[in-house]
Amino acid sequence: MELNRRTVIAGAAAAGMAATTLGGTAHATGGRKPVKTLFGKLADGTKVYSWSLENGGTRLKVLSYGGIVQSLEIPDRRGRYANVSAGFDNLEDYVAKSPYFGALIGRYGNRIGKGKFTLDGKDHQLSVNDGEQSLHGGAKGFDKRVWDVEPFTKGADVGLHLYYTSVDGEMGYPGTLKTKVTYTLTRHGDWRIDYEATTDKATVVNLTSHVYWNLAGEGSGTIEDHELQIAASRYTPTDAGLIPTGELAKVAGTPFDFGRAKPIGRDIRTSHPQLVTAKGFDHNWVLDKGITARPEHVATLRDPASGRSLKIATNEPGLQFYSGNFLDGTLTGPSGRTYRQGDALCLETQHFPDSPNKPKFPSTVLRPGQTYRTTTIHTFGC
């Protein structure tokens, strides 16, 4: 039987098992003011700060560089805490070799084919950084920018407002985009992300978060025994460059059917052409709910061994599930262990890849006078 998370957290705190990086114990409700510390300096001398938050039994560390989630700690069914987000313990590795660990992604999450799109009759050439494609905003996307950070407390919630202004032409994108992203830890320990953006010229935007999850704990090994459920009857197959073909294919009868929870490793090594091309799962699921006014539950991830679970709610129409196919043992996390293929996974809420070149996909166009708004909520269980 799965225990109530609040009961587990309260028990852990009572037993003195919830010592935190902030020097205290976790509580089921009532967060502390975020704590700011120097994490490092960039080559040009720019200071990068780490912000530590704690609320409702969840502990979060965020960097001003890339809005990166450097760690996220939650308890297991016995109240034992672990960091469930892959990353590094130093700024140099984030700058030199991070595969988007924990980062805020923009201006456009996922891929745009050949780094080109046409908007209102004008062609735009973007930064190309993934073969022939533009990936996650180009060579220097939002993940490689230093964000202005403003901490806040609101009632029983704590969080951070992150601000970045992307100038007209940055990475080839038109318009000056003013972006605000809010990370909130609620009194129940949920991690909520609210994205907002405005522009002074017509542009495209698709913001997301690129946390690499391993609910057994960072550096603990494969996620293939994690159980995943996605509320989607279709997905978007890709070509050899991992660009959607435009088809909305049915998942029924394929390895892509996660309508009922199943272990990720059950079908990952089948000979399905899409799995062969991507070396695993690296696809966008078309959520059955579509675009909604409010976040709705779309996916559940669970680690049977620890009992930890993650539920994701969003108002976005798509979910990119990436099974860590390109982790190759060359990166070392805070645990001192290397990350190999399938040692972490991503669940990125978003609009579809290459939407600017696919008129039948939901539009990612943002125009002056409009405000881009989207929300994703992560709810943790044990």
Side-chain angles (χ1 to χ4, degrees), residues 275-292:
L275 292 177
V276 173
T277 297
K279 298 180 173 60
F281 296 105
D282 192 3
H283 296 78
N284 168 67
W285 270 253
V286 180
L287 299 173
D288 290 339
K289 71 174 188 60
I291 300 173
T292 47

Side-chain angles (χ1 to χ4, degrees), residues 2 31 69 78 87 109 126 146 167 213 220 252 262 296 299 309 333 359:
E2 185 170 300
V69 172
R78 297 182 180 178
L126 307 175
V146 176
V167 299
W213 302 101
S220 64
K262 68 176 181 180
E296 294 185 11
S309 66

Side-chain angles (χ1 to χ4, degrees), residues 160 182-186 189-194 295 375-378:
L160 305 171
T182 301
Y183 289 167
T184 303
L185 281 187
T186 74
D190 298 344
W191 175 40
R192 176 180 176 127
I193 310 176
D194 292 286
T375 298
T376 295
I377 302 171
H378 306 80

Side-chain angles (χ1 to χ4, degrees), residues 55-325:
N55 206 8
T58 299
R59 309 166 187 163
L60 180 66
K61 280 190 176 182
V62 176
L63 305 182
S64 56
Y65 179 78
I68 288 169
V69 172
Q70 197 257 335
S71 70
L72 194 154
E73 298 181 43
I74 56 174
D76 66 8
R77 62 166 62 92
R78 297 182 180 178
R80 298 174 300 190
Y81 275 77
N83 172 24
V84 296
S85 171
F88 300 114
D89 60 5
N90 65 88
L91 180 60
E92 291 75 19
D93 282 350
Y94 278 112
V95 172
K97 52 189 177 182
S98 178
Y100 306 98
F101 281 150
L104 278 178
I105 302 298
R107 287 190 192 190
Y108 199 97
N110 222 306
R111 295 173 174 86
I112 294 181
K114 301 189 184 301
K116 298 179 180 179
F117 69 93
T118 301
L119 179 59
D120 296 338
K122 184 176 181 180
D123 297 334
H124 298 278
Q125 177 61 60
L126 307 175
S127 166
V128 172
N129 62 326
D130 182 48
E132 295 183 335
Q133 327 303 345
S134 182
L135 174 64
H136 294 330
K140 193 174 181 181
F142 288 8
D143 61 294
K144 297 176 180 67
R145 307 288 179 171
V146 176
W147 293 65
D148 294 325
V149 182
E150 177 184 290
F152 70 88
T153 58
K154 184 178 180 181
D157 296 342
V158 298
L160 305 171
H161 298 304
L162 299 98
Y163 301 90
Y164 177 69
T165 297
S166 176
V167 299
D168 184 19
E170 185 176 279
M171 297 294 104
Y173 287 90
T176 295
L177 191 78
K178 294 183 177 181
T179 307
K180 175 184 177 183
V181 179
T182 301
Y183 289 167
T184 303
L185 281 187
T186 74
R187 66 189 183 93
H188 298 304
D190 298 344
W191 175 40
R192 176 180 176 127
I193 310 176
D194 292 286
Y195 305 88
E196 297 180 28
T198 58
T199 184
D200 61 359
K201 291 182 182 178
T203 191
V204 295
V205 60
N206 188 30
L207 306 180
T208 192
S209 171
H210 211 288
V211 172
Y212 281 70
W213 302 101
N214 187 323
L215 297 183
E218 171 272 328
S220 64
T222 183
I223 48 81
E224 290 189 11
D225 54 354
H226 281 37
E227 296 171 351
L228 178 63
Q229 177 270 333
I230 304 174
S233 303
R234 297 177 183 271
Y235 78 107
T236 52
T238 67
D239 62 18
L242 301 182
I243 299 297
T245 62
E247 179 187 5
L248 304 182
K250 294 181 179 180
V251 302
T254 78
F256 294 84
D257 190 352
F258 285 89
R260 293 185 178 181
K262 68 176 181 180
I264 289 169
R266 176 179 295 175
D267 300 320
I268 200 169
R269 287 178 174 77
T270 62
S271 60
H272 191 287
Q274 286 290 307
L275 292 177
V276 173
T277 297
K279 298 180 173 60
F281 296 105
D282 192 3
H283 296 78
N284 168 67
W285 270 253
V286 180
L287 299 173
D288 290 339
K289 71 174 188 60
I291 300 173
T292 47
R294 297 181 179 181
E296 294 185 11
H297 174 234
V298 297
T300 299
L301 180 69
R302 184 173 182 272
D303 171 39
S306 68
R308 295 187 185 96
S309 66
L310 163 64
K311 292 183 178 180
I312 295 178
T314 187
N315 52 9
E316 289 279 18
L319 180 76
Q320 182 83 9
F321 165 38
Y322 168 57
S323 54
N325 313 329

